Amino acid sequence: MAVVLAVVVLGSALWLALRSPRVLRVTFLDVGQGDAVLIQTPGGKTALVDAGRGSPVAELRRLGVREIDLLVASHAHADHIGGMDDVLEAFRVRAFMDNSLPHTTQTYARLMNAVESERDMTYLRAEPRTVTLGSASIEVLPLPGPSSNQNNRSVALVVRYGDFSVFLSGDSETGQLRFMTRRGATPDVTILKAPHHGSANGFTHEFLAAVRPELVVVSVGRNAYGHPSEAAISAFEAAAANVIRTDEAGTVTVAGRRNGLFEVERR
Ligand SMILES: [Zn+2]
């Protein structure tokens, strides 16, 4: 009897192991026109890069978020930081990173008030460094100088989990993309979040040839700026096997394995 039970238990453990391989989940939240990218390691560590214009808290709870190890504001525009004070209020956040370029809006002031009221949160400067997030790591790329505009000083990150990697760079435009390409700060990655919502100024052919994504995710909603542009979408389609848009697909989760393979999941 005990032997039979042991075999059954072992069998179901094996089945579970095969059914749920250890994956890094990267979720591009459908926040309308804006960005919010959630990173969840197999060991339960969590990072959030941008928080959309409205509050993403309910969606984050649905996705299983209880606390946030690293919160990043790529730059100070409202479609990236508008929901961030709500995030700080709702969750314990251990570390915060931004592009250290102040902005004159009330949205930015509201976020800074929320950041300053967090007593035990660490401030991490966005400078070339690697931040450990459980079994994943987040490489922070060099930033152009403080004379750049907000978009061209977006915090740029490469999230790595073994051979699986994701390139995130907020709303960087051609100026910052050229800066990174010139410096060789554009490694070959698995997945690219389209810079600047697929704007016509959110790509260069040199940048795409360097990062060589297999999948491009365009985080975009209804907008008056013409995002995404046809030129950007054709360039992404030429560079990558797949292009997914959050305005068409809704929230998109990519589950990446250490060997570099990944699946797009419904959650
Ligand atoms: Zn934006």
Side-chain angles (χ1 to χ4, degrees), residues 38 43 62-63 68 102 112 119-120 123 141 146 165 172 190 226 241 246:
L38 174 68
R62 186 185 75 78
L63 293 164
I68 295 173
M112 284 303 113
R119 291 274 164 251
D120 55 355
Y123 178 78
L141 302 177
S165 54
S172 50
T190 320
T246 56

Side-chain angles (χ1 to χ4, degrees), residues 109-174:
R110 216 174 60 219
L111 172 59
M112 284 303 113
N113 281 335
V115 166
E116 277 156 26
S117 67
E118 297 292 320
R119 291 274 164 251
D120 55 355
M121 186 169 72
T122 307
Y123 178 78
L124 292 176
R125 195 173 282 281
E127 59 194 11
R129 67 200 302 166
T130 299
V131 179
T132 301
L133 187 73
S135 51
S137 65
I138 300 179
E139 185 187 343
V140 184
L141 302 177
L143 272 182
S147 62
S148 307
N149 65 29
Q150 283 289 341
N151 284 356
N152 274 323
R153 198 176 151 81
S154 291
V155 176
L157 307 169
V158 180
V159 183
R160 291 183 194 281
Y161 180 62
D163 291 336
F164 175 77
S165 54
V166 184
F167 195 104
L168 305 170
S169 73
D171 281 359
S172 50
E173 300 175 5
T174 49

